Amino acid sequence: MPSHATELAGFASVRRVETDVGVPPRGGEDAQPRLVTVVGLVAAGGALGATVRYSVETLMPHAPMSFPVATFLVNSVGCLLMGLFLGRLSVLGNVPPHLTPAITTGFLGGLTTFSAFASEIVLMSHGDVVSQGDLPETAVIYAVATLTVGLLLVKGGWMFARLSPKAGG
């Protein structure tokens, strides 16, 4: 079982892969086409993730001031997928530099939504119904559940993805 320090080093290498796309490639090639490719892949991933999120929210509407199940679901699934991807990436090591930003910043960034999470909490915390005393509790439950479940799913996905051996090894 890897130590906590090993896991942190693995995460640091994953972050390095994600941010190295602006570094000029070896052999004197122009870095601009590479950056343009990455930006295009991030945009395509973001469009796909946002489309999935919109579809889920359309299929699972919620009444105003009620627990937003669709947002909770897409954020939770996004956290699990992020943990699985980053955990697996830390085991594999060398992957195409375009892959990480396309999946993490692009697809998962488009799928998950912090702004909807925050605005739903604000909306649940205001209004005429608040005077009845039951909505702030729903807002607190939603906030705590989203943060707790999200963190647990990222960590659980990361740990699960690291269980299987390296590819080709």
Side-chain angles (χ1 to χ4, degrees):
M1 194 78 188
S3 70
H4 183 65
T6 304
E7 286 185 12
L8 288 176
F11 182 73
S13 68
V14 168
R15 296 299 303 168
R16 205 170 28 260
V17 168
E18 185 175 344
T19 57
D20 281 349
V21 294
V23 175
R26 294 182 200 143
E29 299 171 27
D30 184 19
Q32 201 59 31
R34 187 169 158 192
L35 182 59
V36 169
T37 300
V38 171
V39 169
L41 290 170
V42 168
L48 181 61
T51 301
V52 170
R53 176 177 30 129
Y54 179 78
S55 299
V56 170
E57 289 174 351
T58 301
L59 293 170
M60 302 175 74
H62 70 278
M65 313 298 234
S66 66
F67 192 93
V69 176
T71 305
F72 181 78
L73 180 64
V74 296
N75 284 340
S76 297
V77 168
C79 286
L80 177 61
L81 293 175
M82 181 69 83
L84 288 169
F85 178 74
L86 295 178
R88 192 66 191 144
L89 190 60
S90 72
V91 172
L92 295 176
N94 192 16
V95 298
H98 304 79
L99 184 65
T100 300
I103 292 175
T104 58
T105 304
F107 178 74
L108 295 175
L111 175 67
T112 60
T113 172
F114 186 78
S115 58
F117 164 70
S119 64
E120 287 164 342
I121 291 170
V122 169
L123 290 172
M124 283 188 276
S125 300
H126 292 87
D128 296 333
V129 187
V130 173
S131 61
Q132 298 173 9
D134 56 345
L135 278 183
E137 181 179 293
T138 303
V140 169
I141 290 170
Y142 175 54
V144 170
T146 298
L147 293 172
T148 303
V149 169
L151 291 170
L152 290 172
L153 286 172
V154 169
K155 179 64 174 176
W158 178 285
M159 291 171 54
F160 181 78
R162 292 182 55 88
L163 291 177
S164 57
K166 286 187 177 186

